[in-house]
Amino acid sequence: MSYFGKILVGCMITYFVFGLTGQALPASFNHFGHGGPIKSLTAFPQRSLLISTSFDYSGLVWSIEDMNEVGHLIGHDAAVNIATFSPDGKYLATGSDDSQILLWELDKLVDGKIPSSIILQEHTAKVVDLTFSNDGSKLLSAGWDHVVRIWDVKSRKQLGILQGHEGPVNAVEFSKDNKHVFTAGYDGTIRHWELSKRKFLRTIVDNGWGVNVMVVSETADLLIYGTTNGLMRIESLQSGDILLENFDEGVPISALKYYPQRKKIVFGTMKGRVIIYDMTVMRIEKDFLAVHGPIWDLEYIPQKNSLIVAGLDDYMTEWMLGSFNTNYFLEKTSPRRFESDAD
């Protein structure tokens, strides 16, 4: 027997024991709660919280330590694509296929009740990325209506837009000083803007293929991005020199996270592959197949040395990274709980 499982408090925990080779196989944990595929994962380490959002129109707040549910978000009218915490932990913002942004007070989310939210509504297409300024006073939203919208958090009013991408905008980030903005879109460009004047400054990257995911770190001088044609690139933000690059031809890159304190960069692909870079030695640390189908998002949990992955399943899969080296590939599984055998 290569593995055994048990179900405890709504969470399936699968332990992989020694295989025929005598070597330990990877350990993974499945965390249930949603009623459909999971679209995004965002951790807030300061309060040991994780938010997951789903195609089931909802979000769940989890305690990272024990992965128990501590809050439930209901308010969107379509799939929830993204969630982000304000730096001070006061607010949580969510964006959806319903074109709306909902602003939630975090303290009210974790008291066991379903709280009300404040609606920010100016987008005319789905909202796919959100980011707060360092001081929490402003919120940027990226939408498939080809614009980035700038919001004042206190007044809940739109302050302006950044317009110039020739297609959906997939990612947005503030600069460290909150005076500039970086955006990435399906037109294959990563752009640099001056926030106060709503002014386009320059195109940093013109890839030719759409840019799905992007991270900017001015402190580490890094620009990290993944594209629709399978390019994973880490380059110097200042010089543009390529530091590391990988190419999974024809497989879109669908997830990306950067952990500066741990010096880790994690990519996920539309075919379930995870690649973890260790930036201390500038090489791949792990490369494995984590789920069947797309990885919509992922989150590294340092205190557990684990990686939580979200995809087409209606549960999150948590991989214990210390339980295997690399190049692990899943066995074929039976249909998902919401799929029929005929499918």
Side-chain angles (χ1 to χ4, degrees):
M1 183 172 64
S2 61
Y3 67 89
F4 67 94
K6 67 177 181 178
I7 299 176
L8 178 63
V9 196
C11 178
M12 178 181 289
I13 305 176
T14 306
Y15 297 93
F16 290 88
V17 298
F18 288 92
L20 295 176
T21 63
Q23 295 180 340
L25 297 177
S28 67
F29 302 74
N30 295 335
H31 303 293
F32 291 90
H34 282 287
I38 298 169
K39 193 67 172 66
S40 79
L41 299 170
T42 306
F44 188 58
Q46 295 91 321
R47 295 184 61 173
S48 195
L49 296 174
L50 176 77
I51 173 76
S52 60
T53 69
S54 171
F55 286 85
D56 66 6
Y57 300 10
S58 78
L60 295 176
V61 184
W62 306 77
S63 166
I64 289 176
E65 297 300 329
D66 53 18
M67 289 305 293
N68 285 328
E69 282 183 46
V70 295
H72 196 180
L73 289 71
I74 296 177
H76 283 289
D77 297 319
V80 187
N81 299 314
I82 186 68
T84 188
F85 294 92
S86 62
D88 59 6
K90 186 176 181 181
Y91 294 108
L92 175 71
T94 56
S96 168
D97 277 6
D98 63 10
S99 307
Q100 295 181 354
I101 301 161
L102 299 186
L103 198 61
W104 313 78
E105 290 185 47
L106 187 56
D107 284 339
K108 294 181 180 179
L109 284 175
V110 296
D111 63 2
K113 300 178 182 178
I114 299 176
S116 59
S117 59
I118 299 162
I119 300 175
L120 308 181
Q121 191 169 14
E122 291 290 344
H123 279 284
T124 58
K126 65 171 67 179
V127 179
V128 294
D129 200 19
L130 296 165
T131 186
F132 284 93
S133 58
N134 292 331
D135 61 5
S137 65
K138 293 182 177 62
L139 177 71
L140 298 176
S141 57
W144 278 23
D145 52 4
H146 304 189
V147 300
V148 168
R149 298 185 186 273
I150 308 160
W151 304 88
D152 180 78
V153 174
K154 185 176 181 179
S155 68
R156 290 30 165 176
K157 301 295 185 182
Q158 180 178 288
L159 300 177
I161 64 172
L162 302 177
Q163 190 166 17
H165 279 283
E166 298 176 4
V169 186
N170 291 326
V172 60
E173 286 203 19
F174 275 102
S175 64
K176 186 170 61 175
D177 62 7
N178 299 322
K179 295 180 179 179
H180 295 86
V181 176
F182 302 94
T183 60
Y186 267 142
D187 59 5
T189 65
I190 296 176
R191 302 182 182 219
H192 181 197
W193 310 77
E194 184 178 352
L195 182 62
S196 62
K197 297 180 180 179
R198 323 289 190 251
K199 181 181 178 182
F200 168 70
L201 298 178
R202 65 185 178 114
T203 297
I204 303 174
V205 170
D206 192 351
N207 178 64
W209 292 83
V211 179
N212 283 340
V213 288
M214 173 196 71
V215 169
V216 175
S217 174
E218 293 169 281
T219 302
D221 186 30
L222 292 176
L223 173 61
I224 312 161
Y225 59 96
T227 70
T228 58
N229 68 326
L231 176 65
M232 293 164 268
R233 179 172 286 172
I234 305 166
E235 63 183 55
S236 165
L237 178 63
Q238 295 300 318
S239 69
D241 293 341
I242 298 172
L243 305 176
L244 289 168
E245 185 177 86
N246 204 336
F247 189 58
D248 197 349
E249 186 173 2
V251 181
I253 310 306
S254 49
L256 168 63
K257 292 288 173 66
Y258 173 51
Y259 302 92
Q261 293 183 335
R262 300 285 172 159
K263 298 191 182 303
K264 292 183 187 294
I265 296 170
V266 189
F267 288 97
T269 79
M270 288 292 285
K271 288 192 175 180
R273 182 183 179 190
V274 168
I275 296 178
I276 303 175
Y277 282 95
D278 182 346
M279 296 304 290
T280 60
V281 293
M282 301 290 285
R283 63 175 176 82
I284 292 175
E285 175 186 328
K286 291 273 194 295
D287 183 353
F288 65 103
L289 187 65
V291 295
H292 294 286
I295 294 176
W296 296 123
D297 208 354
L298 35 74
E299 193 70 78
Y300 175 66
I301 308 300
Q303 59 266 47
K304 299 180 182 180
N305 191 27
S306 68
L307 185 74
I308 301 178
V309 179
L312 283 182
D313 296 300
D314 56 352
Y315 54 82
M316 300 174 288
T317 300
E318 182 174 7
W319 289 90
M320 309 310 293
L321 297 176
S323 68
F324 66 105
N325 291 322
T326 189
N327 299 327
Y328 176 72
F329 296 93
L330 295 171
E331 296 179 0
K332 183 175 177 59
T333 62
S334 58
R336 295 177 171 90
R337 291 190 300 142
F338 50 86
E339 297 175 328
S340 67
D341 290 325
D343 294 336

